[in-house]
């Protein structure tokens, strides 16, 4: 599959920078979405995390409500709703409302991870768990509600409807980081987004895509296999400038390894931090696993990654201390992608 056939997804986690406010982080997400619509991204997704001082996007359905009014063309969605915490009936209602407000533009990514620490999990879902089989049962129930049907044979549910009804439905996706998760997506008959940014997923992406396609069974919400590859990618005008901007993320990750959960620090603060030799090695490893450099360098790597796996779309997420650097990165990557597409078209003539 060539670059010409791939669409771009922008994914934002509402990263919170020291010296700003949580409200600033959420408003930055809204501004980034509008920017990505202007520069040609196909989708804009927001995340769900809990009790993480660096990520304040805890309610994607609320952010998406705002985005239905602030955008007009780009598809918008959650990446994702952490379904183990919620009743499928309620999630179906929420996304029916979003579909009514932005017809044909709503994506419903579903995730199984806790989205925070164990305490957050217990607070959100006392007595619950993230068992894969129970998760899959919830997905099947949710998809049934989205299809305007009643799940199971419970007489108490007879006649129950998820409102509002719309001509179309939100498109459900399964977000995965493992081969087992990819296989589940195929068996459930849903599009799959594989998160290469998750450390446990590095090195297994091609096997996960193969497992997904082998297991795929057509469903009411997806007739044929369809996939996206999500990766952490940061571009700047020069390779050195991109590495410099990555310093904020590098310091955050180093602190997280030590059990310290803090917001993003400025680039200058991160560069001045007294790292140990082991911590510097850890940051270099992060630079290898993420994609940092000029737009041509980064997009070239992303295209190779997606082509090798056979992904239909490329998803991009990035953290920067300053919003303007994030806006610039997404714009540079969109330009590089469009240039690659144009090159593919020219070579075919």
């Amino acid at each position: 599959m060539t670059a010409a056939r791939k669409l771009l997804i922008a994914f934002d986690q509402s990263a919170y920078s020291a010296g700003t406010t949580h409200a600033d982080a959420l408003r930055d997400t809204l501004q980034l979405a509008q920017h990505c619509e202007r520069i040609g991204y196909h989708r804009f997704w927001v995340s769900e995390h809990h009790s993480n001082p660096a990520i304040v996007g805890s309610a994607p359905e609320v952010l998406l409500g705002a985005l239905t009014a602030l955008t007009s063309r780009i598809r918008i969605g959650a990446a994702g709703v952490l379904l183990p915490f919620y009743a499928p009936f309620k999630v179906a209602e929420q996304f029916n409302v979003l579909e009514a407000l932005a017809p044909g533009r709503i994506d419903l990514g579903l995730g199984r991870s806790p989205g925070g620490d164990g305490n957050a999990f217990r607070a959100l879902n006392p007595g619950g768990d993230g068992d894969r089989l129970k998760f899959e049962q919830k997905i099947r129930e949710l998809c049934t509600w989205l299809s305007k049907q009643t799940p199971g044979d419970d007489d108490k549910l007879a006649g129950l409807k998820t409102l509002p009804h719309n001509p179309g439905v939100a498109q459900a996706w399964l977000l995965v980081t493992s081969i087992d998760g990819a296989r589940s997506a195929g068996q459930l008959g849903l599009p799959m987004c594989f998160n290469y940014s998750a450390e446990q997923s590095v090195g297994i992406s091609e096997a996960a895509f193969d497992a997904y396609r082998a297991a795929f069974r057509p469903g009411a919400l997806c007739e044929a296999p369809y996939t996206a590859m999500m990766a952490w990618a940061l571009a700047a005008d020069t390779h050195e400038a991109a590495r410099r901007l990555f310093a904020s993320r590098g310091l955050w990750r180093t602190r997280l390894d030590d059990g310290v959960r803090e917001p993003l620090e400025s680039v200058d603060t991160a560069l001045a931090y007294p790292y140990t030799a082991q911590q510097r090695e850890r940051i270099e490893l992060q630079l290898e696993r993420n994609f940092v450099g000029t737009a041509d360098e980064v997009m070239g790597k992303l295209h190779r990654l997606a082509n090798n796996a056979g992904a239909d779309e490329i998803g991009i997420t990035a953290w920067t201390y300053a919003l303007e650097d994030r806006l610039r990165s997404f714009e540079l990557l969109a330009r590089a992608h469009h240039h690659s597409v144009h090159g593919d078209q020219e070579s075919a003539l």
Side-chain angles (χ1 to χ4, degrees):
M1 186 171 296
T2 66
R5 295 181 58 191
K6 296 191 189 304
L7 300 170
L8 290 182
I9 305 169
F11 173 47
D12 194 57
Q13 297 174 293
S14 301
Y16 166 52
S17 297
T20 67
T21 68
H22 288 175
D24 290 332
L26 295 174
R27 293 189 183 102
D28 286 352
T29 294
L30 301 182
Q31 187 173 336
L32 178 61
Q34 293 175 300
H35 181 68
C36 287
E37 180 173 65
R38 286 192 295 269
I39 60 180
Y41 282 80
H42 180 58
R43 307 180 196 270
F44 186 88
W45 287 352
V46 296
S47 67
E48 177 179 349
H49 287 83
H50 301 281
S51 194
N52 186 332
I55 306 175
V56 300
S58 58
E61 66 281 4
V62 177
L63 272 178
L64 292 174
L67 286 175
T68 64
L70 294 174
T71 62
S72 60
R73 299 181 307 278
I74 194 169
R75 291 192 66 97
I76 53 177
V81 169
L82 305 181
L83 193 58
F85 300 151
Y86 311 118
F89 181 83
K90 179 59 176 175
V91 174
E93 285 192 323
Q94 290 172 337
F95 280 78
N96 282 353
V97 169
L98 292 168
E99 176 68 21
L101 296 174
R105 294 202 293 128
I106 302 300
D107 294 327
L108 170 52
L110 301 167
R112 188 171 70 95
S113 69
D117 59 22
N119 289 332
F121 192 102
R122 284 185 288 273
L124 284 159
N125 188 17
D129 59 47
D131 178 79
R132 183 178 298 281
L133 291 178
K134 292 179 181 178
F135 176 55
E136 291 180 0
Q137 290 171 359
K138 279 195 163 188
I139 292 176
R140 290 190 175 92
E141 180 183 342
L142 173 60
C143 290
T144 301
W145 288 123
L146 288 173
S147 300
K148 304 181 180 67
Q149 300 175 24
T150 303
D153 54 3
D154 189 340
D155 291 339
K156 295 179 181 178
L157 298 180
L160 189 62
K161 301 181 186 300
T162 52
L163 301 175
H165 277 180
N166 304 299
V169 298
Q171 176 61 64
W173 287 69
L174 191 59
L175 314 175
V176 309
T177 58
S178 67
I179 293 175
D180 285 343
R183 192 174 291 115
S184 291
Q187 292 169 346
L188 290 163
L190 293 177
M192 176 192 76
C193 180
F194 183 84
N195 184 9
Y196 184 84
S197 301
E199 287 193 15
Q200 67 269 30
S201 70
V202 174
I204 66 167
S205 55
E206 292 180 37
F209 278 74
D210 289 342
Y212 167 74
R213 286 186 282 264
F216 188 85
R217 301 170 185 169
L221 300 179
C222 187
E223 296 179 353
Y226 195 80
T227 59
M229 176 77 78
M230 184 70 67
W232 203 99
L234 177 62
D237 293 302
T238 66
H239 184 85
E240 293 72 20
R243 285 182 63 97
R244 187 174 188 278
L245 291 176
F246 183 82
S248 296
R249 166 79 175 190
L251 174 57
W252 176 84
R253 180 71 226 194
T254 297
R255 287 176 166 176
L256 184 65
D257 289 344
D258 294 332
V260 179
R261 301 166 75 90
E262 296 289 344
L264 283 180
E265 297 288 353
S266 70
V267 172
D268 289 341
T269 298
L271 291 174
Y273 189 81
Y275 297 101
T276 65
Q278 184 177 10
Q279 288 171 332
R280 291 189 182 280
E281 289 178 5
R282 174 64 173 160
I283 291 174
E284 288 301 316
L285 179 61
Q286 285 296 304
L287 283 164
E288 291 177 12
R289 289 178 171 173
N290 295 298
F291 300 88
V292 180
T294 66
D296 287 340
E297 289 172 341
V298 171
M299 192 51 69
K301 292 177 180 178
L302 289 173
H303 281 154
R304 285 192 291 275
L305 180 69
N307 286 337
N308 289 340
D312 298 291
E313 302 192 19
I314 297 173
I316 299 167
T317 185
W319 293 14
T320 58
Y321 177 78
L323 173 63
E324 56 265 29
D325 294 321
R326 197 148 75 251
L327 296 173
R328 178 67 172 163
S329 177
F330 276 97
E331 183 171 353
L332 289 171
L333 291 172
R335 287 182 187 175
H337 176 70
H338 294 158
H339 176 73
S340 177
V341 169
H342 181 69
D344 284 347
Q345 291 171 341
E346 280 194 342
S347 64
L349 295 176

